[in-house]
Amino acid sequence: MNQYKAEIRQHIEDHIEDQPENILDEDLHFYLFNTDYYIIGYYNAEQWMKGNVFEIIGIIKQYELDNFGEQYTDLSCPEKVANMFAYILGEEMIAELREEYEEEEEESEDA
């Protein structure tokens, strides 16, 4: 799963510079993972997920149950599965980047 996290993190970092004042908030997540598909096409989605499909489906099911109380993603559609997984990882990676940014800010204030 680390390869996916690294890819999503890089995708976010590539787009942070396009945002005013490098804001790491829900608007950035919405822009990157809700306004367009991260992966387009069934074949591309299948290739991107490779042999990790069942683990990815498990992550999606758990996320949706925890956050919505039921499952919404059509698990029979590789494109929807891949994009929901990217959405979830995007949330995690933005939270990590926000933490790192806040720690850097605290360190610079202490110096």
Side-chain angles (χ1 to χ4, degrees):
M1 292 293 133
N2 287 336
Q3 77 270 18
Y4 298 110
K5 288 182 179 184
E7 181 180 328
I8 295 295
R9 183 182 174 112
Q10 187 61 53
H11 178 69
I12 294 165
E13 289 173 346
D14 290 345
H15 288 87
I16 285 175
E17 296 164 2
D18 299 339
Q19 303 303 311
E21 300 177 20
N22 294 341
I23 297 173
L24 290 174
D25 62 9
E26 291 74 24
D27 290 338
L28 177 61
H29 182 263
F30 179 83
Y31 167 74
L32 292 176
F33 300 101
N34 262 355
T35 59
D36 199 4
Y37 287 118
Y38 179 72
I39 301 287
I40 297 174
Y42 295 125
Y43 178 78
N44 292 335
E46 289 172 355
Q47 293 303 305
W48 188 68
M49 293 184 292
K50 295 179 186 145
N52 300 305
V53 174
F54 292 110
E55 187 174 356
I56 290 170
I57 287 172
I59 290 168
I60 292 169
K61 288 178 84 172
Q62 189 62 52
Y63 176 88
E64 290 183 341
L65 289 174
D66 290 347
N67 288 282
F68 312 127
E70 59 185 290
Q71 181 189 327
Y72 287 101
T73 301
D74 178 1
L75 300 177
S76 68
C77 176
E79 191 176 38
K80 290 182 180 183
V81 170
N83 283 293
M84 184 58 184
F85 183 57
Y87 177 92
I88 293 166
L89 289 182
E91 225 176 54
E92 290 177 21
M93 294 299 97
I94 287 176
E96 277 184 23
L97 286 165
R98 183 181 299 125
E99 251 180 61
E100 290 172 15
Y101 177 76
E102 289 170 358
E103 287 173 9
E104 288 174 10
E105 287 292 308
E106 287 175 14
E107 288 175 9
S108 67
E109 289 175 3
D110 292 341

